[in-house]
Amino acid sequence: MPHTAPTPPRMRSWLFAPGDSEKKMGKAEGSAADIALLDLEDSVSPENKPAARQMVAEQIAASKNKARLWVRINPITGHECIADLAAIMPSRPGGVFLPKAEGAADVTQLHHYLTALEAANGIPLGRTLIAALVTETAAAMFRTGDYAGDYPGKARLVAMSWGAEDLSSALGAREQRGDDGEYAHTYEMARSLCLIGASAAGVAAIETVQPEFRDLDALAARARRVRAQGFRGMLAIHPAQVDPINAAFTPSAEELAHARAVVQAFADHPGAGVVALDGAMLDRPHLVLAQRLLAEAGAQ
């Protein structure tokens, strides 16, 4: 059976939905989120996990757009992970979200599980994609650069995200943010390590959730800020958060026009290392940024 490397979906917004709530999963799938993230981990109690697995599998099986439906499984180190994968893979989810990842070895282990289950279910090998939460344990913080190497399963990895809640629990920290509402240094470091690790690995960096789901203005401001820093999407916990996130991570007409102008300026001066545009001197990194923006937007 040949290996298949599907084109990654748009990844601006990832909307969580508890796997034991048919209503919330339906809302997530029906939303404008690029990815509906059906959760079998933190939002499902241990006693509800068996039922949730069946519900998630049925939700995916009935979907007309399975590529949009991803599943956050339980950590690779526990027995729940195998039960999750065995239940959901016959339904062919678009991808798997791996929590508490501690380096490339965890991605490789998940890759081997997925390969076996794809073969058993007649799914093209390599079709099921992986995103990893890479800062949820203390050990994970030291390994965010591991994902850039050459290892089995690397081709499946398309995104890396970070989280503050599990990390603060692991550290025994009683608060994550200061009086100004901004993350404390440890969590800003986690965000930065995720961003840098994702860039090194050549995958999308995805911003963590904003628990205060009613403050959409703050959400939009944060989404715009992290996009400017290099993030390419954001996790959401409520359907109302999806539209502001999509808007923040969608290039404006002005941004696209400027990017086209940058590309054209360099095209007009072949071989030039520096060009002038609108009174500013631009060098090759500006061209690379413009080309990336147009590619991500699907613009010509």
Side-chain angles (χ1 to χ4, degrees):
M1 188 181 296
H3 282 258
T4 300
T7 301
R10 295 188 81 175
M11 294 184 283
R12 300 168 302 173
S13 52
W14 304 58
L15 177 58
F16 278 108
D20 58 356
S21 173
E22 182 178 345
K23 179 180 179 180
K24 291 180 179 178
M25 287 194 291
K27 285 186 175 181
E29 183 175 2
S31 75
D34 290 334
I35 294 175
L37 197 50
L38 313 182
D39 189 24
L40 290 173
E41 195 210 10
D42 285 346
S43 68
V44 180
S45 65
E47 58 269 24
N48 282 353
K49 288 186 188 294
R53 292 183 187 110
Q54 182 63 31
M55 293 173 69
V56 167
E58 291 174 356
Q59 185 77 30
I60 298 168
S63 176
K64 295 181 180 179
N65 189 0
K66 298 177 190 295
R68 279 186 66 236
L69 301 190
W70 287 47
V71 181
R72 180 167 70 170
I73 60 173
N74 285 276
I76 201 80
T77 53
H79 69 279
E80 301 280 8
C81 170
I82 294 292
D84 293 343
L85 293 172
I88 66 171
M89 285 302 293
S91 297
R92 305 189 174 207
V96 173
F97 206 56
L98 177 64
K100 299 179 178 63
E102 294 186 344
D106 285 355
V107 174
T108 293
Q109 185 173 349
L110 177 56
H111 160 70
H112 290 318
Y113 291 160
L114 293 173
T115 299
L117 288 164
E118 286 170 340
N121 289 283
I123 301 170
L125 300 184
R127 200 201 73 169
T128 312
L129 300 177
I130 297 173
L133 280 160
V134 300
T135 68
E136 292 190 304
T137 71
M141 293 279 282
F142 294 96
R143 298 184 180 134
T144 56
D146 288 2
Y147 303 92
D150 183 14
Y151 51 89
K154 173 67 181 343
R156 293 183 189 267
L157 185 68
V158 296
M160 291 165 53
S161 190
W162 71 284
E165 285 73 19
D166 284 282
L167 180 60
S168 65
S169 177
L171 299 175
R174 291 175 299 192
E175 59 182 34
Q176 304 164 6
R177 307 189 194 195
D179 293 338
D180 60 358
E182 296 300 318
Y183 280 109
H185 171 73
T186 299
Y187 307 99
E188 287 293 350
M189 181 171 64
R191 172 189 273 145
S192 297
L193 287 172
C194 173
L195 175 62
I196 295 167
S199 179
V203 303
I206 306 299
E207 172 66 346
T208 193
V209 301
Q210 175 159 309
E212 303 84 10
F213 63 88
R214 289 188 175 86
D215 192 345
L216 298 182
D217 290 338
L219 169 74
R222 177 175 156 199
R224 289 192 296 267
R225 183 168 65 251
V226 298
R227 179 187 168 224
Q229 295 170 357
F231 284 85
R232 290 163 58 188
M234 186 170 178
L235 306 178
I237 59 170
H238 191 279
Q241 295 180 317
V242 170
D243 285 344
I245 289 174
N246 283 347
F249 286 95
T250 300
S252 67
E254 292 77 10
E255 288 179 283
L256 293 173
H258 178 73
R260 293 190 188 97
V262 171
V263 171
Q264 188 60 52
F266 278 95
D268 292 341
H269 299 85
V274 179
V275 299
L277 179 67
D278 298 331
M281 300 302 294
L282 306 179
D283 55 15
R284 304 297 292 189
H286 291 94
L287 174 60
V288 172
L289 283 172
Q291 291 171 329
R292 174 176 168 176
L293 178 69
L294 293 173
E296 290 176 356
Q300 301 297 324

